[in-house]
Amino acid sequence: MSKFWSPFVKDLVPYVPGEQPKLAKLVKLNTNENPYGPSPKALAAMQTELNDNLRLYPDPNGERLKQAIADYYGVQPAQVFLGNGSDEVLAHAFHGLFQHGKPLLFPDITYSFYPVYCGLYGIPFEAVPLDEQFQIRVADYAKPNGGIIFPNPNAPTGCLLALDAIEQLLKSNPDSVVVVDEAYVDFGGETAITLVDRYPNLLVTQTLSKSRSLAGLRVGLAVGHPDLIEALERIKNSFNSYPLDRMAIVGAAAAFEDKAYFQQTCQAVIDSREQLVAELNDLGFDVLPSAANFVFVRHPQKDAATLAASLREQGVIVRHFKQARIAQFLRISIGTPEQSRALVEALKVYLG
Ligand SMILES: *Cc1c(COP(=O)(O)O)cnc(C)c1O
């Protein structure tokens, strides 16, 4: 606190990202990064871009990347928005689409950045409880609201909401923007981008940080009706005209174009997830059904915080949230088969 701060700064409650430890030898299963590297074609495109042209500003609209995404999903470039990570895209969506004075609705168990953005932009919100199985019940969202947002699959549960349920939500809230945060959709979900032409109130966000293994590059996107995209562009051009640098634009475009590598690495993560779920079940864990690159698990006899501490002592880090309803769960990112083996060995040591 300092007299130089704008007064609202002292009341901000910032997001706390998962730890990025300096120790290289840890088995890092705490922030849902992809265990496989980015597409070699994306890396090559970025290496080529590393030249004298860096003295010039990048394309403020990232047209090269918008076109690659539009081609990938069969939409128009005017339906695509780009940002410096999907967190920035989400921030602009909160700022530009959710400030209507009525409460924004999102699940009680969800991505913990949503209430942070509400705090930053002064947006009232209401956390809508997931059901007993940690599923979203769309009927619970049929109440006056200033917008709706949820990840699909949800985080940190990994649970998927079916497309027809999303459609129902869109139909019963025609006067609200519904944002579907598809950070993990490529690991077993079905994208709602197929619905954007029919629902002008739908905005779908995605990131290249998880399924395309480019968390270090910071690229996110949104797809929706051009009117929604225009609001985001107006905010972006009032904030930072160049959110994506030259490397990010070409690297992300090449990543979208390299479908073979993308499919192969997503499938490897899915296969590892199914294998790990079976092993965790054998060890007595309850595992929520996951369509993501992580699993959300609880052991009926073991305290989650103690378990996480034991894993850490053995060089394996996972994520524990000190939050009501989920304090006895651990979120474990899907790593390589070797990392899974290290995790299971460490769990066996603890469970005895
Ligand atoms: C990881 C994640 C994001 C943020 O992704 P970035 O593009 O890296 O900013 C957004 N939403 C959810 C639910 C996430 O898990």
Side-chain angles (χ1 to χ4, degrees), residues 5-19:
W5 290 11
S6 302
F8 83 97
V9 176
K10 82 170 183 352
D11 297 320
L12 289 180
V13 184
Y15 177 72
V16 183
E19 179 190 3

Side-chain angles (χ1 to χ4, degrees), residues 217-234:
L217 196 64
R218 311 305 303 131
V219 183
L221 60 112
V223 180
H225 191 283
D227 288 349
L228 298 184
I229 300 303
E230 192 190 334
L232 301 179
E233 297 288 359
R234 290 174 71 111

